[in-house]
Amino acid sequence: MRFRDHEVVGDVLELAQRYRDEGADELVLYDITASPEGRCVDREWVRRVAEVLDIPFCVAGGIRSVGDAEAALHAGADKISVNSPALDDPSLIDELSIRFGSQCVVVGIDSQRTIRGFRAWQWSGDPRRARDSGRAVLGWVHEAQQRGAGEIVLNCIANDGGRRGYDLEQLAAARSICHVPLVASGGAGAVGHFTEVFREARVDGALAAGVFHSGHIRIPALKRELRAAGIAVRLP
């Protein structure tokens, strides 16, 4: 919850295959401790996961250079996501977009509510190092797009793991200035939360982990409910 008190929920390859078979549209492999530990996501894990998938697959964790991204893409990833390294060096987004195309480049933003407003948080995978990057979230969303990001994933830390729903206010504010696909992350706990984030925040996608890992929500049932609510989804 909120990138703390992590639990082991299963084998990565088994979960990847399960979600593939259940009809997930895309999978994301987050190595959340890679950046704080000064390493890059393990390309062998990327290769092994990619071998069992036939759906888009995004990889995140410690990607600091064109070389790091190239290794992940060559190992089988379809997209790479950058967060803390891009906050340290925003030109990384430009370099990745020029080299691979914006369709491959996702910028992840871990957002925290503070007395100064919504702030982009850095090193969120390590509670000892997590800190305010000094950037306002909406300003960073705008800059990331200008630099070539082809997708934004906005993770609202205060909601993450709480299963009380997505931060609709924050996501709607981001939507108003985001002209590339916007993916909501953090807070899903019921089918209704997915319905409301698509309707009220008008996001392009909704990311979740815990409710799927635990089996609390099954993807086929979720998609049927979304379709019944008038939200366009691809059914398995």
Side-chain angles (χ1 to χ4, degrees), residues 5 8 11 27 66 68 78 87 100-101 104 111 118 122 131 134 146 150 163 167 169 174 192 198 208:
D5 303 321
V8 176
D11 180 81
L27 290 186
V66 167
D68 289 340
D78 299 286
L87 287 164
F100 304 111
C104 283
S111 176
F118 301 126
Q122 198 168 16
R131 64 179 179 85
Q146 294 295 105
R163 298 192 181 185
D167 188 332
E169 176 191 357
F198 283 114

Side-chain angles (χ1 to χ4, degrees), residues 82-111:
V82 292
N83 188 335
S84 293
L87 287 164
D88 272 343
D89 179 11
S91 67
L92 175 62
I93 303 171
D94 304 75
E95 294 170 5
L96 295 173
S97 178
I98 291 168
R99 175 65 179 84
F100 304 111
S102 61
Q103 79 284 350
C104 283
V105 183
V106 179
V107 171
I109 302 175
D110 294 329
S111 176

Side-chain angles (χ1 to χ4, degrees), residues 10-19 52:
D11 180 81
V12 172
L13 293 178
E14 291 178 1
L15 288 171
Q17 291 174 84
R18 186 180 110 196
Y19 298 141
V52 303

Side-chain angles (χ1 to χ4, degrees), residues 109 136-146 152 154 170-180 182 201-202:
I109 302 175
V137 167
L138 295 186
W140 183 227
V141 168
H142 176 74
E143 181 176 345
Q145 293 177 94
Q146 294 295 105
I152 302 291
L154 182 57
Q170 185 172 180
L171 288 160
R175 173 80 285 170
S176 70
I177 64 164
C178 187
H179 308 297
V180 299
L182 175 65
R202 297 178 295 112

Side-chain angles (χ1 to χ4, degrees), residues 155-167 184-190 193-194 196 207-209 211:
N155 183 57
C156 304
I157 294 174
N159 293 56
D160 187 71
R163 298 192 181 185
R164 299 185 304 273
Y166 295 97
D167 188 332
S185 177
H193 295 152
F194 290 87
E196 67 184 7
L207 185 153
V211 290

